[in-house]
Coordinates of all heavy atoms in Angstrom, one line a residue:
F1 N -11.7 14.1 -20.4 CA -11.6 12.9 -21.2 C -11.3 11.7 -20.1 O -10.3 11.7 -19.5 CB -10.5 12.9 -22.3 CG -10.3 11.6 -23.1 CD1 -11.1 11.5 -24.2 CD2 -9.5 10.6 -22.7 CE1 -10.9 10.3 -25.0 CE2 -9.3 9.5 -23.4 CZ -10.1 9.3 -24.6
L2 N -12.3 10.9 -19.9 CA -12.2 9.8 -19.0 C -11.9 8.5 -19.7 O -12.7 8.1 -20.6 CB -13.5 9.7 -18.2 CG -13.5 8.7 -16.9 CD1 -14.5 9.2 -15.9 CD2 -13.9 7.3 -17.4
R3 N -10.9 7.8 -19.3 CA -10.5 6.5 -19.9 C -10.5 5.4 -18.9 O -9.9 5.5 -17.9 CB -9.1 6.6 -20.6 CG -8.7 5.4 -21.3 CD -7.3 5.5 -21.9 NE -6.3 5.4 -20.8 CZ -5.0 5.9 -20.9 NH1 -4.6 6.5 -21.9 NH2 -4.2 5.8 -19.8
I4 N -11.3 4.4 -19.1 CA -11.2 3.1 -18.3 C -10.3 2.2 -19.0 O -10.5 1.8 -20.2 CB -12.6 2.6 -18.3 CG1 -13.6 3.5 -17.5 CG2 -12.6 1.3 -17.4 CD1 -15.2 3.0 -17.6
N5 N -9.2 1.9 -18.3 CA -8.1 1.2 -18.9 C -8.5 -0.4 -18.8 O -8.5 -0.9 -17.8 CB -6.8 1.5 -18.1 CG -6.4 2.9 -18.2 OD1 -5.8 3.3 -19.2 ND2 -6.7 3.7 -17.2
E6 N -8.6 -0.9 -20.0 CA -9.0 -2.3 -20.2 C -7.7 -3.1 -20.3 O -7.0 -3.1 -21.3 CB -9.8 -2.5 -21.4 CG -11.0 -1.6 -21.5 CD -12.2 -2.0 -20.6 OE1 -12.2 -3.0 -20.0 OE2 -13.1 -1.2 -20.6
G7 N -7.3 -3.8 -19.2 CA -6.1 -4.8 -19.3 C -4.8 -4.0 -19.2 O -3.8 -4.5 -19.6
T8 N -4.8 -2.9 -18.5 CA -3.5 -2.1 -18.3 C -3.1 -2.3 -16.8 O -3.9 -2.2 -15.9 CB -3.7 -0.6 -18.6 OG1 -4.1 -0.5 -20.0 CG2 -2.5 0.1 -18.4
S9 N -1.8 -2.5 -16.6 CA -1.4 -2.8 -15.3 C -1.1 -1.5 -14.5 O -0.9 -0.4 -15.2 CB 0.0 -3.6 -15.3 OG 1.0 -2.8 -15.8
P10 N -1.2 -1.5 -13.2 CA -0.8 -0.2 -12.4 C 0.6 0.3 -12.8 O 0.9 1.5 -12.8 CB -0.9 -0.7 -11.0 CG -1.8 -1.8 -11.0 CD -1.6 -2.6 -12.3
E11 N 1.5 -0.7 -13.1 CA 2.9 -0.3 -13.4 C 3.0 0.5 -14.7 O 3.6 1.5 -14.9 CB 3.9 -1.5 -13.5 CG 4.1 -2.2 -12.2 CD 2.9 -3.1 -11.7 OE1 2.0 -3.4 -12.5 OE2 2.9 -3.4 -10.5
D12 N 2.2 0.0 -15.7 CA 2.1 0.8 -16.9 C 1.5 2.1 -16.8 O 1.9 3.1 -17.5 CB 1.3 0.0 -18.0 CG 2.0 -1.2 -18.5 OD1 3.2 -1.2 -18.5 OD2 1.4 -2.2 -19.1
L13 N 0.5 2.3 -15.9 CA -0.2 3.6 -15.7 C 0.8 4.5 -15.1 O 0.9 5.7 -15.3 CB -1.5 3.4 -14.9 CG -2.6 2.8 -15.6 CD1 -3.8 2.7 -14.7 CD2 -3.0 3.6 -16.8
A14 N 1.5 4.0 -14.1 CA 2.6 4.9 -13.4 C 3.6 5.4 -14.4 O 4.0 6.5 -14.4 CB 3.2 4.1 -12.2
Y15 N 4.0 4.4 -15.3 CA 4.9 4.9 -16.4 C 4.4 5.9 -17.2 O 5.0 6.9 -17.6 CB 5.3 3.6 -17.2 CG 6.1 3.9 -18.4 CD1 7.6 3.8 -18.3 CD2 5.6 4.1 -19.7 CE1 8.3 4.1 -19.4 CE2 6.4 4.3 -20.8 CZ 7.7 4.4 -20.6 OH 8.4 4.6 -21.8
E16 N 3.1 5.7 -17.6 CA 2.4 6.7 -18.5 C 2.4 8.0 -17.8 O 2.6 9.1 -18.4 CB 1.0 6.2 -18.8 CG 0.3 7.2 -19.8 CD -1.2 6.8 -20.0 OE1 -1.8 6.3 -19.1 OE2 -1.7 7.1 -21.1
R17 N 2.0 8.1 -16.5 CA 1.9 9.4 -15.8 C 3.2 10.2 -15.8 O 3.3 11.3 -16.1 CB 1.4 9.1 -14.4 CG -0.1 8.9 -14.3 CD -0.6 9.0 -12.8 NE 0.0 8.0 -12.0 CZ -0.7 6.8 -11.8 NH1 -1.8 6.6 -12.4 NH2 0.0 5.9 -11.0
N18 N 4.3 9.3 -15.6 CA 5.7 10.0 -15.5 C 6.1 10.5 -16.9 O 6.6 11.6 -17.1 CB 6.7 9.0 -15.0 CG 6.4 8.7 -13.5 OD1 5.8 9.5 -12.8 ND2 6.9 7.5 -13.1
L19 N 5.8 9.7 -18.0 CA 6.1 10.1 -19.4 C 5.3 11.2 -19.8 O 5.9 12.2 -20.4 CB 5.9 8.9 -20.3 CG 6.1 9.2 -21.8 CD1 7.6 9.5 -21.9 CD2 5.8 7.9 -22.6
V20 N 4.0 11.3 -19.5 CA 3.2 12.4 -19.9 C 3.7 13.7 -19.2 O 3.8 14.7 -19.8 CB 1.7 12.2 -19.6 CG1 1.0 13.5 -19.6 CG2 1.1 11.2 -20.5
G21 N 4.0 13.6 -17.9 CA 4.7 14.8 -17.2 C 5.9 15.2 -17.9 O 6.2 16.5 -18.0
H22 N 6.7 14.3 -18.3 CA 8.1 14.7 -18.9 C 7.8 15.3 -20.2 O 8.4 16.4 -20.5 CB 8.9 13.3 -19.1 CG 10.3 13.7 -19.6 ND1 11.3 13.9 -18.7 CD2 10.7 13.7 -20.8 CE1 12.4 14.1 -19.5 NE2 12.1 14.0 -20.7
L23 N 6.9 14.8 -21.0 CA 6.6 15.4 -22.3 C 6.1 16.8 -22.2 O 6.4 17.7 -22.9 CB 5.7 14.5 -23.1 CG 6.2 13.2 -23.6 CD1 5.1 12.3 -24.1 CD2 7.3 13.4 -24.7
L24 N 5.1 17.0 -21.2 CA 4.6 18.3 -21.0 C 5.6 19.4 -20.6 O 5.5 20.5 -21.1 CB 3.4 18.3 -20.0 CG 2.1 17.5 -20.5 CD1 1.2 17.3 -19.3 CD2 1.4 18.3 -21.5
S25 N 6.5 18.9 -19.8 CA 7.6 19.8 -19.4 C 8.5 20.2 -20.6 O 9.1 21.4 -20.5 CB 8.4 19.2 -18.3 OG 9.1 18.1 -18.7
A26 N 8.5 19.4 -21.6 CA 9.3 19.7 -22.8 C 8.5 20.5 -23.8 O 8.9 20.7 -24.9 CB 9.9 18.5 -23.4
G27 N 7.2 20.8 -23.5 CA 6.3 21.5 -24.5 C 5.7 20.6 -25.6 O 5.2 21.1 -26.6
F28 N 5.7 19.3 -25.3 CA 5.1 18.4 -26.4 C 3.6 18.4 -26.2 O 3.1 18.3 -25.2 CB 5.7 17.0 -26.2 CG 5.3 16.1 -27.3 CD1 6.0 16.1 -28.6 CD2 4.3 15.1 -27.2 CE1 5.6 15.2 -29.6 CE2 3.9 14.3 -28.2 CZ 4.6 14.3 -29.3
P29 N 2.9 18.4 -27.4 CA 1.4 18.4 -27.3 C 0.8 17.1 -26.9 O 0.5 16.4 -27.9 CB 1.0 19.0 -28.6 CG 2.1 18.4 -29.6 CD 3.3 18.5 -28.7
T30 N 0.6 16.9 -25.7 CA -0.2 15.7 -25.2 C -1.1 16.1 -24.0 O -0.7 17.0 -23.2 CB 0.8 14.6 -24.8 OG1 0.1 13.3 -24.7 CG2 1.5 14.9 -23.6
P31 N -2.2 15.5 -23.9 CA -3.2 16.0 -22.8 C -2.6 15.8 -21.4 O -2.2 14.7 -21.2 CB -4.5 15.2 -23.1 CG -4.3 14.8 -24.5 CD -3.0 14.6 -24.8
P32 N -2.8 16.7 -20.6 CA -2.3 16.6 -19.2 C -3.4 15.8 -18.3 O -4.6 15.8 -18.7 CB -2.2 18.0 -18.6 CG -3.1 18.8 -19.4 CD -3.2 18.2 -20.8
F33 N -2.9 15.1 -17.4 CA -3.9 14.4 -16.4 C -4.6 15.5 -15.7 O -4.1 16.5 -15.3 CB -3.1 13.5 -15.5 CG -2.7 12.2 -16.0 CD1 -1.5 12.1 -16.7 CD2 -3.6 11.1 -15.9 CE1 -1.2 10.8 -17.2 CE2 -3.2 9.8 -16.5 CZ -2.0 9.8 -17.1
A34 N -5.9 15.3 -15.5 CA -6.7 16.2 -14.7 C -6.5 15.9 -13.1 O -6.6 16.9 -12.3 CB -8.2 16.0 -15.0
S35 N -6.1 14.8 -12.9 CA -5.7 14.3 -11.5 C -4.7 13.2 -11.6 O -4.9 12.3 -12.5 CB -6.9 14.0 -10.7 OG -6.6 13.4 -9.5
M36 N -3.8 13.2 -10.6 CA -2.8 12.1 -10.6 C -3.2 11.0 -9.7 O -2.5 10.0 -9.5 CB -1.4 12.7 -10.3 CG -0.9 13.7 -11.3 SD -0.5 13.1 -12.9 CE 1.1 12.3 -12.6
R37 N -4.3 11.2 -8.9 CA -4.7 10.2 -7.9 C -5.1 8.9 -8.6 O -5.8 8.9 -9.6 CB -5.9 10.7 -7.1 CG -5.5 11.9 -6.3 CD -6.8 12.3 -5.5 NE -6.6 13.6 -4.9 CZ -7.7 14.3 -4.3 NH1 -8.9 13.7 -4.1 NH2 -7.4 15.6 -3.9
P38 N -4.7 7.7 -8.0 CA -5.2 6.4 -8.6 C -6.6 6.2 -8.2 O -7.1 6.4 -7.0 CB -4.2 5.4 -7.9 CG -3.8 6.1 -6.6 CD -3.8 7.5 -6.9
V39 N -7.5 5.7 -9.1 CA -8.8 5.4 -8.8 C -9.3 4.3 -9.8 O -8.7 4.1 -10.9 CB -9.8 6.7 -9.1 CG1 -9.8 7.2 -10.5 CG2 -11.2 6.4 -8.6
T40 N -10.2 3.4 -9.4 CA -10.7 2.3 -10.2 C -12.1 2.3 -10.3 O -12.9 2.9 -9.5 CB -10.2 1.0 -9.5 OG1 -10.8 0.8 -8.3 CG2 -8.7 0.9 -9.4
F41 N -12.6 1.7 -11.4 CA -14.1 1.3 -11.6 C -14.2 -0.1 -12.0 O -13.5 -0.5 -13.0 CB -14.6 2.4 -12.6 CG -16.1 2.1 -12.9 CD1 -17.1 2.4 -11.9 CD2 -16.5 1.5 -14.1 CE1 -18.4 2.2 -12.2 CE2 -17.8 1.3 -14.4 CZ -18.8 1.6 -13.4
C42 N -15.0 -0.8 -11.3 CA -15.1 -2.3 -11.6 C -13.8 -3.0 -11.6 O -13.6 -3.8 -12.4 CB -15.9 -2.5 -12.9 SG -17.6 -1.9 -12.9
G43 N -12.9 -2.5 -10.8 CA -11.6 -3.2 -10.7 C -10.6 -2.7 -11.8 O -9.5 -3.2 -11.8

């Protein structure tokens, strides 16, 4: 699942990555990131 973030700040994305990792470690059903590397498309 590829998401192009429209109007999301890098700080918000870093927060999301950390929160998703925390939820997964607790066994909560949320999709894991396929890669944690930062990448952009059209800025």
